[in-house]
Amino acid sequence: MKRLATPPSLRRPELLDWAREITAFYSRPAEERQRQRAPFERYEPLFLGEDVYAALDAQFKSKCAYCESGLQMHESRIDPFRPILAAADPRTREESPDHYGWLAFEWRNLMYACNECVSAKRNLFPVDTPRALPMTAWRQTVASENALLIDPCRDDPARHLAFLPDGRLVGKTDKGAASIEVLNLNRPRLVETRRQWIFDLLSTVHQAIDPEAEPVTIGLIDELDNLRHSGAIRSALDAVAKETARRVGLKPIVGFRPSRDIPRLAGHHEVWDRVAYEYLSGADKTPISESLRSAVGEYYELRPRLDPSHVERVRIFNFKGIDTLELEFAHAQASDSNASGVMLLGENAAGKSTVLQALALALMDERLRKGSRVEGADFLPRQRESWEVLTDRPYVEVLLSSGDTRRIEIDSLGRIETYSDAVPSMVLAYGARRFFRSHERIHKNAVNRSLFDPFAKLEDPSPWLVEASQQHFNAVARAMREVLSLHEDDDIFRGPGGHVMVRAHGRVTPVERMSDGYRSLFAMAVDIMRRMVDAWGNLEYAQGIVLIDEIDVHLHPRWKIEVMSALRRAMPKVQFIVTAHDALCLRGMRDGEVHVLYRDQHDRIRPREDLPNIELLRSDQLLTSDFFGLASTARPQTDAALHRYAYLLGKPALDAGEQRERGALAAQLAGLPLGDTPVEQLVGEATQRYLNDRRRRGGAERAAMREDALEEIVALLSAGAAAGAHE
């Protein structure tokens, strides 16, 4: 398949700046690079614009490059064929953090893909030769490596893959077998879709060659390459057409072409129908030789035992204090390959923790539920007046991005019944009280216990981090750099005596000597990371769902602002569903990801509708918006004084008592800061000082005073702009 021209976004002059950064990154010592990520994430919005999506959509005819499923622009993903973070070989379990960051914005390395293929492929890229050296040009990289994945733009898939009549794929070559396993190309829903397309096209051709049937426009099937699952369709049509021509004594048909071959087969619809039936039932072994049924999977034990899907919707009925509640969670934006997040806000007793518990119960399998010591009776609805159990059964239904549904019901005896045969999700849950116990091992299945039991202890992950393999430690260190907002020259490393050390701000400090809030965040983040690493091997492509109640607990205001962004950067494919009370935590969320719960006039828990765009509001505006609903962020007494002062200033005539009151209020409010940022407050002070002095000076002095004040304000604004640029 010939590549289209490089889109304009990938020819921007700013690519030179990125090229210098990536070159500098790969010039650092290899050991240092292992604990850092190549610098490209902040460039993605700049270089992977809408024109790139449009070009990929045209390149791959609105289909997934790997499985040929149909794609809408909003549900597509850009997937680097050679992964740009921690490329791994599934046969050896070896991971190379160096590969292939320098190809992040190489047009020929970008594929148009569906969520399912991207989730399955992750960072897997097997080769049976040494990997190219960092910063090797694209052509030389391709020439020097023998990749074991089919490149849709360079390889002919028909050489490596064969389609069975039931929609399954088998590998003709090692590359075909590896591609099937790495991309999970025989997932049940995909196989069934292929089978249906094969059946439909065979039926369409049957109708086209039947003189008595309704006429079919040949053009609808003539451009086979534009159809979804065209590889499977072409394979079936070629096999059935070839056998039909043989049976009716026509010249052999090699490579079925509707415009050429449908007229030749006209009137032979009954033979076509019989051959198609034999093909679909597997009676005719001619199309797929038994020799093609290669024994795949010997080296590719890749399919995780866990579902990588994310939550798209939850419906809760009669669960504790919730009678009925439905929440639709935002999808990840088309331009963002990372997971969407969810934050639940609301006053105390608004149901935030209950929603997390409902999600956890529906997502956990029986093993995790037992480890969490969950008592189903705790979730039965009760009368408000008498605490008697109501007859309504609790019911929770969770829709996942894969299309699967998880559902649980709780009977009157508290028994939890599960209605789902889907693969269990990777789900971790943390309650508002997160106490980590050192020097004592806690059962691995008890990871989610703290969400249901406020006195449950979590296992301190620090010993694991000290003893982890170098590959796993490096994976955590790369992610913790994001969580702790470390600079380029800062580092996380293992020191002598079994200590994990953090080098930051020119000082080396053991983690256990850091502040309580710092250690609390570190412990929870590492606990999440070690479980993700154990399941997925790295954190850049780890997938799962993490539930955290009151994420703002113990955090300094600066960490509250950064915590969500930091966690999402550290584990970009993980869906975080959290609750919070502090507006500062909303800074890491996007429009549509925040839900506000409240109790209506009938004391029922409901979600607020038509919330404003969270990304456009300042922190003080967040507090007075529908997210928090405060009338003002000022102290009530100060707020009242301001309103009274404003009234007196606007009143045309004041009596003696009102004049004295206005003067007293002016003196009381004189020290009130003006502005939201330190620079704005300094400018406000300079302006106030000028106005005060102006009243005491004569006309001749006022012009000079005005110029001095302007120069002072300009200097303050310039200093603020310079500080912002530096940050």
Side-chain angles (χ1 to χ4, degrees):
M1 180 190 301
K2 184 179 179 181
R3 273 279 185 176
L4 300 179
T6 304
S9 289
L10 292 174
R11 290 186 273 112
R12 299 177 68 128
E14 290 90 342
L15 272 170
L16 294 176
D17 297 332
W18 175 76
R20 283 189 286 268
E21 272 198 60
I22 198 73
T23 301
F25 172 80
Y26 282 110
S27 66
R28 296 173 194 160
E31 183 180 353
E32 181 180 331
R33 294 198 304 269
Q34 308 309 302
R35 298 191 294 274
Q36 299 181 7
R37 289 179 179 172
F40 58 81
E41 290 181 345
R42 67 178 180 274
Y43 289 97
E44 286 184 355
L46 185 65
F47 301 141
L48 301 183
E50 291 184 3
D51 60 327
V52 177
Y53 276 87
L56 287 171
D57 186 74
Q59 176 77 57
F60 294 102
K61 301 177 174 62
S62 301
K63 298 186 292 184
C64 174
Y66 302 125
C67 72
E68 292 195 300
S69 295
L71 286 178
Q72 299 293 326
M73 192 85 75
H74 69 275
E75 63 187 9
S76 63
R77 292 288 176 262
I78 294 179
D79 181 67
F81 179 64
R82 281 174 166 78
I84 56 178
L85 277 174
D89 192 323
R91 301 167 304 162
T92 62
R93 308 291 179 183
E94 292 180 356
E95 185 177 278
S96 175
D98 272 342
H99 291 83
Y100 295 84
W102 71 93
L103 298 177
F105 306 114
E106 166 58 56
W107 169 237
R108 291 163 290 187
N109 193 50
L110 302 181
M111 301 293 167
Y112 201 52
C114 66
N115 279 319
E116 288 78 7
C117 284
V118 171
S119 294
K121 179 173 174 281
R122 307 192 308 276
N123 61 322
L124 301 175
F125 193 77
V127 294
D128 62 4
T129 57
R131 297 192 188 276
L133 294 175
M135 298 304 295
T136 302
W138 166 259
R139 289 184 181 277
Q140 285 70 36
T141 297
V142 172
S144 65
E145 295 181 344
N146 185 23
L148 291 180
L149 288 187
I150 297 170
D151 183 338
C153 294
R154 295 178 56 84
D155 300 317
D156 178 8
R159 289 186 53 202
H160 306 283
L161 300 172
F163 292 88
L164 297 177
D166 61 3
R168 287 180 297 130
L169 274 172
V170 293
K172 295 181 178 180
T173 65
D174 289 344
K175 181 175 285 194
S179 297
I180 292 169
E181 294 301 307
V182 168
L183 294 164
N184 196 10
L185 294 179
N186 278 330
R187 48 189 184 266
R189 187 177 287 111
L190 178 60
V191 168
E192 174 57 26
T193 302
R194 279 197 211 107
R195 189 200 65 78
Q196 188 61 52
W197 274 88
I198 290 172
F199 178 84
D200 289 347
L201 265 294
L202 289 175
S203 299
T204 299
V205 174
H206 172 269
Q207 184 178 356
I209 62 178
D210 183 355
E212 298 182 2
E214 291 291 330
V216 175
T217 303
I218 295 177
L220 294 176
I221 57 175
D222 204 20
E223 296 295 329
L224 292 178
D225 290 337
N226 292 332
L227 296 177
R228 300 177 184 182
H229 306 290
S230 58
I233 292 168
R234 186 175 291 281
S235 175
L237 291 177
D238 287 351
V240 175
K242 180 179 179 180
E243 178 62 14
T244 300
R246 186 189 69 78
R247 292 190 186 184
V248 299
L250 295 176
K251 183 179 179 181
I253 294 177
V254 179
F256 179 76
R257 288 172 53 190
S259 58
R260 179 196 67 190
D261 297 322
I262 283 179
R264 295 175 57 193
L265 294 170
H268 298 293
H269 53 282
E270 292 182 355
V271 178
W272 175 277
D273 192 40
R274 188 161 54 252
V275 173
Y277 173 79
E278 293 171 357
Y279 175 81
L280 291 172
S281 64
D284 183 3
K285 300 295 184 182
T286 304
I288 302 296
S289 168
E290 287 293 334
S291 64
L292 298 182
R293 301 176 186 268
S294 57
V296 297
E298 181 179 356
Y299 299 106
Y300 297 93
E301 299 172 6
L302 305 176
R303 207 103 64 250
R305 299 183 300 276
L306 302 164
D307 186 349
S309 303
H310 298 147
V311 177
E312 292 194 344
R313 184 187 69 211
V314 59
R315 301 171 65 204
I316 305 172
F317 302 93
N318 308 311
F319 189 89
K320 291 179 73 173
I322 298 177
D323 60 345
T324 176
L325 180 69
E326 180 172 338
L327 297 174
E328 294 272 356
F329 297 153
H331 295 273
Q333 300 173 7
S335 59
D336 188 354
S337 61
N338 298 336
S340 61
V342 179
M343 182 173 285
L344 303 177
L345 300 178
E347 297 181 1
N348 290 332
K352 305 184 299 297
S353 301
T354 302
V355 172
L356 291 191
Q357 291 174 344
L359 280 167
L361 287 179
L363 293 169
M364 290 191 298
D365 58 17
E366 185 64 25
R367 172 182 54 89
L368 286 178
R369 280 200 290 268
K370 287 183 178 179
S372 300
R373 297 181 181 174
V374 174
E375 296 289 342
D378 293 340
F379 309 104
L380 296 175
R382 296 178 180 272
Q383 293 279 1
R384 288 187 175 87
E385 298 81 8
S386 64
W387 198 244
E388 292 182 3
V389 175
L390 298 173
T391 58
D392 299 316
R393 296 184 65 170
Y395 171 96
V396 181
E397 180 184 85
V398 176
L399 176 65
L400 300 175
S401 56
S402 63
D404 291 330
T405 299
R406 306 285 173 81
R407 182 163 59 91
I408 61 163
E409 291 186 16
I410 304 176
D411 66 16
S412 59
L413 299 177
R415 292 175 297 198
I416 301 174
E417 301 174 8
T418 303
Y419 298 90
S420 175
D421 296 326
V423 176
S425 296
M426 177 71 177
V427 56
L428 304 176
Y430 299 85
R433 295 171 178 260
R434 298 183 283 274
F435 303 116
F436 289 86
R437 177 183 294 173
S438 302
H439 312 300
E440 182 177 341
R441 294 197 63 82
I442 296 175
H443 196 276
K444 63 180 181 179
N445 293 339
V447 57
N448 299 331
R449 189 177 297 171
S450 68
L451 183 63
F452 304 96
D453 179 3
F455 300 104
K457 299 293 192 300
L458 298 168
E459 184 180 355
D460 185 355
S462 299
W464 173 86
L465 193 57
V466 170
E467 300 169 3
S469 67
Q470 192 62 44
Q471 177 176 315
H472 284 179
F473 178 83
N474 289 340
V476 172
R478 290 195 300 269
M480 286 307 302
R481 291 181 63 88
E482 304 292 340
V483 173
L484 301 179
S485 300
L486 298 184
H487 295 129
E488 185 177 293
D489 296 330
D490 298 337
D491 199 7
I492 299 174
F493 60 95
R494 290 186 282 203
H499 296 289
V500 177
M501 316 294 287
V502 177
R503 181 188 295 116
H505 313 298
R507 174 182 295 180
V508 175
T509 310
V511 168
E512 62 268 22
R513 294 296 183 89
M514 293 183 162
S515 66
D516 288 345
Y518 207 88
R519 284 189 289 116
S520 174
L521 176 61
F522 185 91
M524 183 182 68
V526 173
D527 191 64
I528 297 170
M529 291 175 187
R530 69 160 173 166
R531 300 176 193 281
M532 291 290 175
V533 164
D534 287 343
W536 301 94
N538 64 77
L539 293 167
E540 289 82 3
Y541 294 89
Q543 300 168 70
I545 302 162
V546 175
L547 311 173
I548 306 174
D549 199 12
E550 296 188 22
I551 194 170
D552 46 331
V553 170
H554 304 310
L555 295 184
H556 182 276
R558 184 171 71 87
W559 284 110
K560 291 179 182 180
I561 292 174
E562 297 177 355
V563 62
M564 287 307 300
S565 296
L567 288 174
R568 296 174 74 172
R569 288 195 307 269
M571 292 165 276
K573 311 297 183 185
V574 172
Q575 183 183 36
F576 287 91
I577 303 177
V578 307
T579 72
H581 288 106
D582 199 313
L584 297 176
C585 293
L586 274 65
R587 277 291 158 242
M589 308 306 293
R590 305 181 185 116
D591 184 34
E593 293 184 337
V594 179
H595 301 263
V596 178
L597 303 180
Y598 73 101
R599 287 187 178 271
D600 64 13
Q601 65 270 29
H602 303 294
D603 203 33
R604 296 174 301 190
I605 295 172
R606 295 288 181 264
R608 291 203 181 277
E609 305 291 341
D610 301 322
L611 293 170
N613 186 342
I614 194 172
E615 298 179 85
L616 303 179
L617 300 179
R618 300 191 312 266
S619 294
D620 60 322
Q621 293 174 323
L622 287 169
L623 288 169
T624 56
S625 72
D626 288 342
F627 290 105
F628 289 89
L630 298 182
S632 170
T633 58
R635 183 169 171 260
Q637 294 88 336
T638 303
D639 204 33
L642 281 168
H643 280 85
R644 179 63 177 168
Y645 185 52
Y647 167 75
L648 293 175
L649 284 175
K651 190 174 181 180
L654 302 178
D655 59 28
E658 290 173 330
Q659 289 178 0
R660 286 193 300 272
E661 183 183 4
R662 186 179 68 178
L665 287 172
Q668 176 186 338
L669 300 172
L672 188 67
L674 302 175
D676 298 310
T677 67
V679 171
E680 290 176 358
Q681 292 167 8
L682 287 171
V683 171
E685 290 176 15
T687 304
Q688 188 65 50
R689 190 162 59 243
Y690 161 70
L691 293 174
N692 290 337
D693 289 345
R694 186 176 183 273
R695 298 188 187 99
R696 297 192 295 268
R697 303 297 177 90
E701 297 176 289
R702 288 180 180 176
M705 286 178 53
R706 178 184 175 84
E707 290 301 320
D708 291 343
L710 286 173
E711 289 180 6
E712 183 179 0
I713 290 172
V714 169
L716 290 168
L717 291 173
S718 300
H726 179 69
E727 292 177 359

